[in-house]
Amino acid sequence: MQRRWSALSTIALAVGMTGCGPPDPPLALDVWYGAEQRVGHLGDGQSDFNLLGETTSRQLTYSLNDGPEVALTVSRDPFGFRRLGGPGHFNADIPVAALTPGTNRVRLRAEHEDGSELVQEVRLERTTGTSPLPYSIDWSTVSNPQDVGWCVDGRWTIEGDSLRSSEPAYDRVYAIGDRTWRDYEVQTTFTIHRVAATTAPFSGGNAFGVVFRFNGHCVGGPLDFPEAQPKWGYLPFGAITWLRWKKGAPHEPPQFQFYRGDRNELENYATLEFQTDQRYHLIASCVTLPDSPAGEGVTRYRLKVWPEGAPEPEAPAYEVTQVSQDAHRQGGLALVAHHVDVSVGAIEVRSIP
């Protein structure tokens, strides 16, 4: 990962000097996506706003509007820990319900073991908006990815006509839409530049695709996930439709895989003859069907992927009907890049009656 500590280190030298010299390494704090951010302008996508960044500090807290300090986890593992994708990464789950309309002040305080500290304030504007369907994104007209979606995990950047997650790590997630979405189809293109040679200890094989009916991360749920900051409970959701490589085999062709929304149950289908730096089309959808006799939710999921320049296949790679009491029945979508460097093109999401 490219480090960008030079300017921050200058600040650290001015703010954090104690005794006969500065800390080693210098105390630094980098907030991704800027010191002024917004939440709510796209509707109710999830319960938490994610304030992301990285620091050289081992002790980091945040406080909201001069409230009590909340301790944050700072990763020190080479792979990070689940949502914390690398050394020094942090991700503050800030409850949206705790924000007041208008400007909120989030105060980050990084402390070095020698007692020096570095403080940075982020202004978080709480507004009210919606993400009505149909919903489209032309990245060439967007300057900040937070303007049209939620950067839930990782550093996402806009490069020309694409959105890119260029630092492969555990579940880099970019969410679109809100929790009122129900039945919809997403169309986009993607180019995978690199499939990481290794994945984290808690990760399966590399993958890229779409999480349907995403409502954010949780505590509890079907697998009784523990309290954490940030939360890392990933179930339930609607379902995941994606391409998945076998763990430890990033050079083999990926498979079309369906991931249930209520438990760790995966179903593999045909492989895709795949090349890096080749653009592919993707169409995926979720459609509600009548409930089961027991009152369980029933949803049909479809996925179709093919290389640019080839004719669109008539049939999807798979069609799965999921019956579940726990899987979400509503929610927006999330792009998920799992240990891959991927660029995603223009996005079109339409409602399916």
Side-chain angles (χ1 to χ4, degrees):
M1 181 193 307
Q2 181 182 4
R3 293 295 180 188
R4 302 183 299 170
W5 296 130
S6 56
L8 292 171
S9 298
T10 302
I11 297 173
L13 295 179
V15 176
M17 291 183 68
T18 61
C20 60
D24 185 20
L27 187 57
L29 179 61
D30 181 12
V31 177
W32 301 342
Y33 309 113
E36 295 185 0
Q37 301 189 33
R38 291 189 297 164
V39 60
H41 57 294
L42 299 172
D44 175 23
Q46 57 178 20
S47 298
D48 297 306
F49 175 81
N50 297 113
L51 187 66
L52 301 111
E54 54 189 320
T55 180
T56 56
S57 170
R58 293 179 180 270
Q59 299 182 50
L60 182 67
T61 64
Y62 87 86
S63 62
L64 176 63
N65 296 327
D66 297 321
E69 290 192 337
V70 178
L72 297 176
T73 303
V74 179
S75 173
R76 289 299 157 194
D77 187 274
F79 281 104
F81 175 73
R82 295 190 183 270
R83 295 180 66 191
L84 303 178
H89 288 201
F90 67 86
N91 187 336
D93 277 334
I94 300 176
V96 175
L99 302 173
T100 59
T103 301
N104 295 261
R105 291 177 295 107
V106 180
R107 180 179 180 268
L108 291 165
R109 185 174 67 87
E111 184 177 344
H112 198 276
E113 59 186 8
D114 67 4
S116 60
E117 65 177 42
L118 182 61
V119 174
Q120 184 167 343
E121 183 174 286
V122 177
R123 293 185 177 273
L124 188 54
E125 190 74 14
R126 175 72 166 99
T127 63
T128 301
T130 60
S131 296
L133 289 169
Y135 193 83
S136 63
I137 301 175
D138 176 357
W139 300 111
S140 66
T141 66
V142 179
S143 58
N144 185 338
Q146 297 274 55
D147 289 341
V148 292
W150 303 63
C151 295
V152 177
D153 288 302
R155 185 164 18 214
W156 296 84
T157 59
I158 295 173
E159 298 183 357
D161 62 354
S162 300
L163 176 73
R164 185 169 183 176
S165 177
S166 58
E167 299 175 349
Y170 174 97
D171 283 3
R172 307 296 82 187
V173 174
Y174 182 86
I176 300 168
D178 61 43
R179 288 190 274 200
T180 66
W181 288 14
R182 183 177 176 86
D183 299 335
Y184 51 90
E185 177 187 84
V186 56
Q187 297 190 33
T188 189
T189 60
F190 68 92
T191 303
I192 293 180
H193 308 285
R194 180 165 66 95
V195 182
T198 56
T199 59
F202 293 98
S203 301
N206 317 68
F208 171 74
V210 177
V211 185
F212 282 101
R213 297 172 177 174
F214 178 77
N215 281 235
H217 293 82
C218 69
V219 173
L223 300 185
D224 195 23
F225 294 105
E227 293 274 357
Q229 179 55 270
K231 304 178 186 73
W232 56 270
Y234 49 87
L235 288 168
F237 40 77
I240 300 178
T241 60
W242 61 0
L243 291 175
R244 189 75 179 269
W245 283 258
K246 294 179 182 178
K247 187 173 177 67
H251 300 296
E252 295 182 7
Q255 294 179 291
F256 293 98
Q257 187 181 83
F258 178 78
Y259 195 141
R260 286 188 63 94
D262 55 0
R263 57 183 179 268
N264 286 325
E265 184 176 303
L266 317 172
E267 189 168 355
N268 293 318
Y269 293 86
T271 59
L272 175 69
E273 292 302 320
F274 180 83
Q275 294 182 352
T276 56
D277 293 318
Q278 162 75 52
R279 178 171 287 189
Y280 291 83
H281 294 271
L282 179 150
I283 299 178
S285 63
C286 61
V287 177
T288 302
L289 303 178
D291 285 0
S292 74
E296 300 162 304
V298 181
T299 304
R300 182 183 66 217
Y301 291 93
R302 289 175 174 168
L303 174 64
K304 184 184 292 187
V305 176
W306 71 98
E308 187 173 63
E312 177 181 345
E314 292 188 8
Y318 62 69
E319 178 180 303
V320 175
T321 299
Q322 175 180 270
V323 180
S324 174
Q325 187 65 50
D326 296 322
H328 286 158
R329 301 189 186 197
Q330 292 187 176
L333 66 89
L335 304 173
V336 56
H338 189 65
H339 296 284
V340 296
D341 172 1
V342 61
S343 294
V344 183
I347 294 175
E348 297 284 344
V349 188
R350 68 176 183 90
S351 177
I352 299 177

